Each structure stands twice: as C-alpha cells, then as structure tokens.
Amino acid sequence: MSEASVAVHADADLLAQAVAARLVVKLLDAQADRGQASVVLTGGRIAAAVYRAVAALPARDAVDWSRVDVWWGDERFLPAGDPERNETQARAALLDLVPLDPARIHPMPASDGPAGPDPEAAAAGYAEELGRAARPGHAALPHFDVLMLGVGEDGHVASVFPEHPVHYESRPVSAVRGSPKPPPVRTTLTLPAINTAEEVWLVASGADKARAVGMALAGAGPVQLPAAGVHGVARTLWLLDRAAAADVPPRLRSLR
C-alpha cells in the first residue's frame, strides 16, 4: 500500500489542466516502459474538464493512442448513448477525438446491451472482459497504470457508497442497487479491484468536497467513507483545488 500525497491547485480550471498534463506524461511513461498503457476513467464535472484539457493539449499527439486500453471504474446502468453515462461523457470530451483502437475501449455494459436489463449479468460480463485482458496465469485483472476517481460529497468513490453492501464485495465488479445517488442502478469496480492499480488518483474540486477529503486524509474508516479505503500499489495521489483542500492538514499539502 502506498502512502497518500496531496497536490493542491488554485482553482478547478488549473486543476483540470494539471491532471491532464500528468495523465499524458503517465501514458507516455507507461508506453516507454511496457509498450502500452492502461487507464481507468471516472465521471463527473471535473473528470469531463480533465478530458477536455487532454484533448486540447498539443502533447496529446505524443501518445500512441492505438496502444492505450481504456476502462471505466463505474457506470450508470442506462441505455447506450444516454448523456448520463460516464462513457458518453468521456467519448464526447476526449475519446472520439483521438485515434484509439476501438477494440481497446472497454465500456461497462449498458442496460440495453447484450446482458440485457440485468445489472448482475452486466457486472459478471465486465469481470470476464477484465479477466480476458489479464496476463494468463498471472492475474485476474489487467495492469492498470492509472485509475482515476472522483470523490463524492459523502466520500463515495466509483459507485461504492458509504455503508453500502458493495463495500464488502470481493469480486472485481459488482452491480449496485439502491444507490443513494441517482440513478439507483449501477455497476462498479469494487475496492479490491481498484486497489490493484499501479497509481490511484483521487480528483476533487469545490467546497462541497472539502469535508469528505479532509476526513479521508485524516484516517476515517473506509466503510463509512470509501475514499479512505482506496490506494495505488505504487502511488496514491490526491489532486485537489484549494476549495476541496480546505480541511486538509497543511503538512500534507503541496501547493501548485
């Protein structure tokens, strides 16, 4: 388990630009090291801003996008193309603008997909897809170079909500029913799967996130505050704007 480090940027726009630059560098480093790269995407306002910032970076063209695998950390179980799906957001902001290999884009199933309207079947199908991409005989999951997460006001990450039964799930992917945040039905990577990533980046902006961020970094229990229970194998990085970092102890902050 890696110790958390914190980088604080002045505002949400600068945060998005900084995360975008970090992501391009991380993908380039992974390709230099392994010949390919793998990223797990998240959803939300700040994530969309990051994806737009990546698309606007001239350095994006240094990445060989045909050798990037794209996965998702969670998804709203809605029909394909629904504007509320994280996939739809990411495609519009970035994925449709770079030359990715369609076979290496791995969206979580939609409610009108091959698994039909059964989120448990959809979760099982995504777990099987992850397993097929893993190194044979070595791992149940593929290598994730970086896994990005937003942080909810209640401290949820992906679709792992406080005190929700999915917190205790050991399978890599789970259906989520009764989500406290609409829509009520989702699919998500579980904490054990999230914590296999080489690097985990928690990205948060806005004063409404400050309490959850501060509590997570102060050592809150992960059942009550799932953001406190995620970590990368090599690195855990909190990327915040000043508003979201208001309750972070000064000794943990690295100002940008």
Side-chain angles (χ1 to χ4, degrees):
M1 180 189 305
S2 58
E3 291 190 10
S5 56
V6 181
V8 181
H9 299 272
D11 56 38
D13 287 341
L14 287 174
L15 171 63
Q17 292 172 37
V19 177
R22 283 181 183 271
L23 183 58
V24 167
V25 170
K26 181 62 181 174
L27 296 177
L28 288 170
D29 286 348
Q31 289 183 342
D33 183 46
R34 300 193 300 112
Q36 58 187 327
S38 179
V39 60
V40 182
L41 300 182
T42 186
R45 290 189 305 273
I46 191 62
V50 169
Y51 305 150
R52 290 191 296 269
V54 172
L57 279 175
R60 84 175 202 190
D61 293 331
V63 176
D64 183 348
W65 292 98
S66 70
R67 293 187 293 127
V68 176
D69 281 288
V70 180
W71 303 89
W72 273 263
D74 75 316
E75 188 56 275
R76 297 162 180 183
F77 197 56
L78 297 168
D82 190 290
E84 294 299 309
R85 277 179 59 87
N86 293 336
E87 177 198 358
T88 306
Q89 177 192 71
R91 286 186 180 276
L94 174 62
L95 304 186
D96 289 346
L97 306 177
V98 293
L100 288 156
D101 178 351
R104 300 184 80 157
I105 303 173
H106 309 277
M108 287 189 166
S111 61
D112 58 353
D118 180 352
E120 283 77 17
Y126 203 63
E128 291 174 3
E129 185 171 359
L130 286 162
R132 289 193 295 271
R135 293 174 60 197
H138 289 81
L141 296 170
H143 181 92
F144 300 139
D145 292 293
V146 59
L147 185 149
M148 300 172 61
L149 294 169
V151 181
E153 295 92 337
D154 60 356
H156 80 267
V157 290
S159 285
V160 182
F161 291 91
E163 301 185 0
H164 193 281
V166 73
H167 180 86
Y168 303 99
E169 181 60 68
S170 60
R171 292 173 295 181
V173 189
S174 178
V176 178
R177 294 182 182 270
S179 163
K181 182 178 180 180
V185 182
R186 299 161 174 249
T187 51
T188 188
L189 296 187
T190 59
L191 294 188
I194 289 169
N195 291 341
T196 67
E198 179 181 325
E199 296 192 11
V200 170
W201 298 358
L202 297 107
V203 186
S205 69
D208 56 341
K209 308 295 179 69
R211 181 174 177 273
V213 169
M215 290 177 64
L217 286 166
V223 176
Q224 291 75 29
L225 202 84
V230 298
H231 52 79
V233 173
R235 192 179 195 193
T236 307
L237 184 58
W238 289 76
L239 297 159
L240 312 170
D241 67 6
R242 284 180 179 163
D247 293 346
V248 175
R251 62 182 174 80
L252 295 178
R253 299 188 195 185
S254 174
L255 294 173
R256 297 288 190 270

